[in-house]
Amino acid sequence: MDHELKDKCTGIMDRIVKLRDSLDYADKKKRTREINELMGAAGFWDNQEKAQELVNEMQQLQLVVKPLTELVKGAEDLEVLLEFIEEEGSEDSIPELAATADRLDTTLENLELQAMMSAPEDGSAAYLSIQAGEGGTDSSDWAEMLLRMYLRWCERRGFNVELLDRSDAEEAGIRSATIRIEGDYAYGYLKGETGNHRLIRISPFDSAGRRHTSFAAIDVSPDMGEIAEIEINWDQDVREDTYRASGAGGQHINKTDSAIRLTHLEAGVVVQCQNNRSQHKNRAEARKMLKAKLFQIEQEKRDAELAAKRGGKSKIGFGGQTVRNYVLHPDQYVKDARTGYKAGNPGPILDGDLDGFLEAFLRWGMTEN
């Protein structure tokens, strides 16, 4: 048997054991059994709040237990196949061994990446906001290009997306937009996107065909629902403004003051929501967004290193921290300023093929901590 294949199989089995131990597989499996018993008991839904907490806990546990169970069983199969091939001296089972190793390697890489997202908020849905910066119409157009990029990434992942707020620019593009992204580890994957994104290209809005630099800022916050321990006095701490929704949505949405803007007076955080026709629903969503942002700020206060990585955003443009450069002229590439990860063709990236950058940031974050 090929020594390279044998070494690969041995390495995979070692990595599975290490991951199994680091993720407390036995404890998590025990906890899933306990919750299953509770869920099967009579009167489980009598206390709906407690029941929902357990359902949410089970969902988070299964994100680890299910693939790890597959890996542990796969490692056993791999060991049996290896022993069989070595003892029998037959090469008939080698294709099956190679295929099993490849399958396990892919699952293992995904779970190792997931293990890098161990913070409680990493498994949450995410609020992603885009704000056009310096650069006039070019930056507004760039902000809309980024919005499309993230929407396409969500589509590739099968994540659910809800547009909460969108403010169109006068000539082209958007001034700002906020979307809510729901999917496994949505915040964990996207948290590294926060910061300034810079585009260098020949401007389609410049009749002289000159090269322009445009900026747009991305901000990502976790939607932890009621788990986020953030106390807000909505009457004293927050100013609420209502305004007429400006986006598409029919006559009703544009003729009533259904849109909500909330300003946290002490923190200076502003959020707004206008996607629902109901002012009540917009208010509820805006409150969730504000809690998410305040939770994020609190987390950063507790972790000065994380705050430094995310960078200051007091200025969106020259002088602010740029996390990624998208160069369309004269060269063509996309490069992350923190990790050094680079892709030579911007087209697929702008079409949502972001996984390389997101994974590089997670791995870089592990080495920096």
Side-chain angles (χ1 to χ4, degrees):
M1 182 176 57
D2 190 331
H3 286 295
E4 188 176 335
L5 178 58
K6 183 179 178 180
D7 290 344
K8 178 179 180 179
C9 293
T10 304
I12 287 172
M13 289 189 290
D14 289 343
R15 286 162 60 200
I16 289 173
V17 170
K18 187 181 294 185
L19 190 62
R20 181 198 65 191
D21 294 342
S22 68
L23 292 177
D24 300 321
Y25 175 62
D27 290 341
K28 284 184 170 65
K29 203 170 181 181
K30 180 183 176 184
R31 180 58 179 159
T32 58
R33 288 196 296 267
E34 291 172 353
I35 296 176
N36 268 323
E37 289 176 9
L38 291 169
M39 291 173 72
F44 174 72
W45 287 102
D46 290 351
N47 184 337
Q48 295 222 357
E49 185 177 341
K50 181 65 176 176
Q52 190 58 55
E53 284 180 10
L54 287 171
V55 169
N56 292 342
E57 184 183 353
M58 176 63 97
Q59 289 174 343
Q60 293 300 312
L61 284 168
Q62 289 290 20
L63 290 174
V64 174
V65 171
K66 189 176 178 181
L68 198 44
T69 298
E70 179 189 332
L71 285 171
V72 170
K73 185 180 181 303
E76 294 170 357
D77 294 342
L78 212 57
E79 189 174 13
V80 169
L81 276 169
L82 270 172
E83 289 177 358
F84 176 76
I85 292 170
E86 289 180 344
E87 289 175 5
E88 297 296 322
S90 171
E91 297 189 354
D92 293 346
S93 298
I94 288 180
E96 182 185 354
L97 180 70
T100 302
D102 288 342
R103 175 175 56 81
L104 290 175
D105 196 28
T106 300
T107 305
L108 185 55
E109 283 187 2
N110 290 336
L111 195 56
E112 284 173 337
L113 191 66
Q114 189 174 304
M116 297 176 192
M117 299 179 280
S118 57
E121 63 270 22
D122 285 341
S124 304
Y127 292 108
L128 186 147
S129 297
I130 302 171
Q131 175 72 50
E134 294 175 356
T137 303
D138 275 286
S139 284
S140 299
D141 185 54
W142 173 224
E144 187 167 37
M145 288 169 66
L146 285 172
L147 175 60
R148 179 186 178 278
M149 180 181 77
Y150 289 114
L151 291 175
R152 292 303 301 272
W153 178 79
C154 293
E155 186 181 315
R156 286 167 177 256
R157 283 256 166 188
F159 286 0
N160 294 321
V161 181
E162 184 180 7
L163 179 65
L164 301 177
D165 184 70
R166 176 183 170 124
S167 176
D168 290 316
E170 291 180 8
E171 187 175 341
I174 58 173
R175 287 190 292 270
S176 62
T178 299
I179 55 177
R180 182 180 182 275
I181 302 167
E182 188 170 358
D184 293 344
Y185 290 91
Y187 176 72
Y189 279 111
L190 291 168
K191 60 186 178 183
E193 294 301 283
T194 294
N196 287 334
H197 292 240
R198 178 169 65 177
L199 173 70
I200 300 172
R201 64 171 176 176
I202 298 295
S203 170
F205 306 101
D206 186 336
S207 58
R210 291 171 293 192
R211 190 173 70 165
H212 283 239
T213 298
S214 310
F215 290 91
I218 304 296
D219 189 73
V220 186
S221 303
D223 177 9
M224 297 190 68
E226 298 305 315
I227 304 175
E229 298 176 358
I230 300 294
E231 295 296 328
I232 300 175
N233 185 321
W234 297 103
D235 294 325
Q236 296 181 15
D237 300 342
V238 179
R239 184 180 74 241
E240 178 180 304
D241 298 304
T242 59
Y243 61 100
R244 193 159 295 180
S246 59
Q251 294 179 339
H252 179 73
I253 196 171
N254 292 313
K255 289 189 175 181
T256 61
D257 291 338
S258 59
I260 295 289
R261 180 184 297 111
L262 300 179
T263 305
H264 191 273
L265 300 175
E266 182 180 352
V269 174
V270 180
V271 297
Q272 54 193 46
C273 182
Q274 61 167 310
N275 68 313
N276 294 295
R277 297 189 178 193
S278 161
Q279 186 184 92
H280 174 73
K281 289 182 180 178
N282 283 333
R283 179 181 294 108
E285 191 64 53
R287 286 185 172 188
K288 282 177 62 183
M289 292 165 62
L290 184 60
K291 285 185 73 174
K293 186 60 186 169
L294 293 175
F295 173 85
Q296 181 189 26
I297 291 171
E298 284 300 311
Q299 289 296 102
E300 289 173 358
K301 285 180 181 177
R302 295 173 201 153
D303 189 343
E305 280 190 18
L306 179 58
K309 283 180 201 172
R310 296 182 72 249
K313 284 181 54 194
S314 58
K315 182 180 181 184
I316 305 171
F318 291 104
Q321 186 201 30
T322 297
V323 297
R324 193 172 302 143
N325 294 291
Y326 305 72
V327 181
L328 305 186
H329 184 85
D331 299 321
Q332 292 207 347
Y333 64 88
V334 180
K335 185 175 182 179
D336 195 286
R338 302 155 300 181
T339 67
Y341 185 86
K342 184 176 181 180
N345 184 0
I349 309 303
L350 295 172
D351 201 36
D353 187 9
L354 288 172
D355 286 349
F357 286 94
L358 304 183
E359 292 173 14
F361 177 81
L362 288 171
R363 297 184 192 283
W364 173 79
M366 291 292 289
T367 60
E368 289 294 304
N369 288 331

